[in-house]
Amino acid sequence: MKVALITGITGQDGSYLAEFLLAKAYTVHGLVRRASTFHTDRIDHLYQDPHDSKARLFLHYGDLADSGQLTNLFYEVKPDEVYHLGAQSHVRVSFDMPDYTGDVTGLGTVRLLEAIRKSGVRCRLYQASSSEMFGAAPAPQSETTPFQPRSPYAAAKVYAHWMVRNYREGYGLFACNGILFNHESPRRGETFVTRKITRAVAAIKAGRQQTLYLGNLDARRDWGYAPEYVELMWRMLQMTAPQDFVFGTGETHSVREFVEAAFGYAGLDWREHVKLDQRYLRPTEVELLKADPSNVKRQLGWEAHVRFADLVRIMVDAELETAGLPAPGEGKRAFDAGRFGWLRRP
Ligand code: NAP
Ligand code: G4F
């Protein structure tokens, strides 16, 4: 039975990955930030009483800003596989908190690498790199596209990315960077644009909200479905040799297209509800992200199945259901027909 350690287990990807690995009979340990309130709602359905001898999910307080506890964790848990997903992951916030973002997202990765090296634990590492690192680089972006980061978040991720390669080459660590394009789900953080839009659609339908304030509607992203992406993280660590991969759908859509699709699916006219708020504009924007996923398809046989229209439907259906409203259900059908037997909750 393999042992995995996940940083960022309370986040969107961490929660799906924990679910996926538990279904594969892994023992899963997760790093959780201490807070004065509970914030484990994404993994509450996976909770197991640690006193139960059959328990396979264990949570540990710790912080990427604290190297001592990270190192202790490696001695204690001795993981076979480490999935490093913890980060200050919000691009807009990184402009307001550049040094904090550099500390947690950039240096936090180095603290983890050092914890592995100093503890001497032999494990494989997955690092959550990001398509945001491509920044101003022309699309489509692949493994060979040079990074041109345009935010403190992206610059911190570039640092983390290269440090992972450095430890791979310098210390022989089995470490892989997954350069993921945007991936979304009903568990996406509420302030990222897709979830902000789908939540607003449900609130407007329920009569609780009239207006949705957004920033740049022209930016284009390659949006995929998060559960598919966590499966690939695992597959990367099962390879015979470590390698970095780009993964995305290969399609690109504007924020405006997402808005149109989400409002339209719920029978609303977005023009009656969406307004610009300058606060959501960024000092520098990444205008166009579109993956070239040909390498991952060739080497790992991976290809995104859930495409833009189904992703929008999955997210809007989930939001309407949570609001106690009738949902068209097309997203649910796309989801049910999918390949996600391990998912216990969308
Ligand atoms: P997310 O939902 O924002 O989750 C981030 C996780 O990091 C949360 O569990 C958060 O804990 C944890 N965290 C934040 N600061 C921490 C600290 N100081 N110490 C320990 N843990 C900390 O992000 P996500 O969408 O799941 O993304 C997972 C990873 O992939 C991130 O590294 C992100 O940057 C990267 N990524 C995401 C995408 C995407 O489209 N989703 C694309 C490319 C790369 P709390 O719950 O306590 O906040
Ligand atoms: O949803 P977003 O905040 O995601 P963004 O900036 O692309 O970053 C996400 O994807 C990255 C991968 O490329 C990850 F590394 C990162 O951790 C995160 O998960 O914004 C998407 C687009 C941007 O162009 C933004 O300017 O939507 C635009 N946008 C327009 N109005 C907005 C809003 N974004 C947000 N968050 N809120 C708005 O009101």
Side-chain angles (χ1 to χ4, degrees):
M1 207 159 53
K2 279 192 182 172
V3 176
L5 170 65
I6 304 177
T7 71
I9 193 168
T10 55
Q12 170 188 258
D13 291 5
S15 67
Y16 282 122
L17 182 66
E19 202 159 333
F20 177 74
L21 294 176
L22 287 170
K24 283 206 165 291
Y26 276 62
T27 294
V28 175
H29 294 263
L31 185 77
V32 178
R33 277 203 288 182
R34 152 83 188 131
S36 62
T37 50
F38 288 125
H39 63 299
T40 52
D41 41 309
R42 289 189 180 106
I43 50 171
D44 282 347
H45 64 296
L46 304 175
Y47 177 79
Q48 298 168 354
D49 184 343
H51 303 98
D52 183 339
S53 59
K54 294 203 186 89
R56 286 191 290 111
L57 174 65
F58 301 93
L59 302 179
H60 307 262
Y61 282 124
D63 201 297
L64 290 164
D66 176 25
S67 51
Q69 165 62 353
L70 287 177
T71 310
N72 288 343
L73 207 52
F74 277 85
Y75 285 122
E76 192 182 328
V77 168
K78 297 188 178 56
D80 300 297
E81 294 173 10
V82 180
Y83 296 88
H84 176 40
L85 311 180
Q88 190 305 89
S89 70
H90 204 285
V91 175
R92 179 67 193 83
V93 170
S94 79
F95 287 100
D96 299 329
M97 305 174 73
D99 51 342
Y100 176 80
T101 303
D103 187 14
V104 169
T105 305
L107 273 177
T109 306
V110 179
R111 292 188 187 102
L112 192 78
L113 288 163
E114 277 293 276
I116 296 174
R117 189 173 74 87
K118 286 188 176 144
S119 68
V121 171
R122 286 180 61 81
C123 59
R124 296 182 168 203
L125 172 72
Y126 172 87
Q127 147 68 8
S129 284
S130 167
S131 57
E132 182 71 15
M133 301 188 305
F134 292 123
Q141 293 99 358
S142 73
E143 289 82 357
T144 55
T145 305
F147 302 134
Q148 294 187 44
R150 277 173 65 83
S151 64
Y153 166 81
K157 282 284 183 189
V158 170
Y159 175 51
H161 179 97
W162 280 104
M163 287 305 281
V164 164
R165 290 186 66 143
N166 194 260
Y167 276 61
R168 180 163 83 207
E169 290 161 17
Y171 302 113
L173 182 66
F174 191 112
C176 310
N177 289 295
I179 308 172
L180 273 57
F181 282 66
N182 299 49
H183 45 281
E184 318 292 315
S185 74
R187 293 189 205 170
R188 183 59 143 149
E190 290 85 348
T191 60
F192 295 95
V193 79
T194 56
R195 184 80 194 285
K196 186 172 167 183
I197 294 165
T198 55
R199 266 166 60 90
V201 164
I204 291 167
K205 278 297 253 191
R208 287 187 280 105
Q209 185 175 333
Q210 258 305 307
T211 306
L212 168 63
Y213 291 98
L214 292 174
N216 181 8
L217 298 186
D218 295 321
R220 302 182 74 86
R221 291 289 180 274
D222 179 330
W223 280 297
Y225 183 44
E228 292 199 290
Y229 289 56
V230 303
E231 288 185 16
L232 195 56
M233 294 174 189
W234 173 78
R235 282 173 63 180
M236 278 176 69
L237 291 199
Q238 314 313 310
M239 294 185 303
T240 47
Q243 217 186 116
D244 302 335
F245 282 102
V246 152
F247 33 114
T249 67
E251 278 180 35
T252 188
H253 297 272
S254 66
V255 175
R256 182 179 288 98
E257 285 169 52
F258 196 103
V259 169
E260 275 172 4
F263 276 74
Y265 179 60
L268 294 169
D269 182 350
W270 70 276
R271 286 183 185 78
E272 293 170 9
H273 300 281
V274 175
K275 289 192 180 144
L276 171 72
D277 183 336
Q278 306 269 357
R279 282 186 309 160
Y280 298 121
L281 299 175
R282 298 164 183 198
T284 41
E285 175 64 281
V286 171
E287 300 295 347
L288 171 58
L289 291 176
K290 180 179 190 270
D292 170 1
S294 52
N295 187 38
V296 74
K297 185 172 181 192
R298 194 170 53 250
Q299 292 206 49
L300 292 177
W302 184 89
E303 158 169 53
H305 288 83
V306 176
R307 295 306 176 111
F308 179 75
D310 278 338
L311 174 67
V312 173
R313 292 176 190 138
I314 288 169
M315 291 182 71
V316 175
D317 275 351
E319 226 60 72
L320 291 171
E321 277 176 18
T322 305
L325 297 167
E330 286 171 42
K332 204 160 170 33
R333 277 192 286 281
F335 174 81
D336 286 342
R339 314 144 40 255
F340 308 104
W342 52 271
L343 254 185
R344 285 162 47 188
R345 223 188 62 184

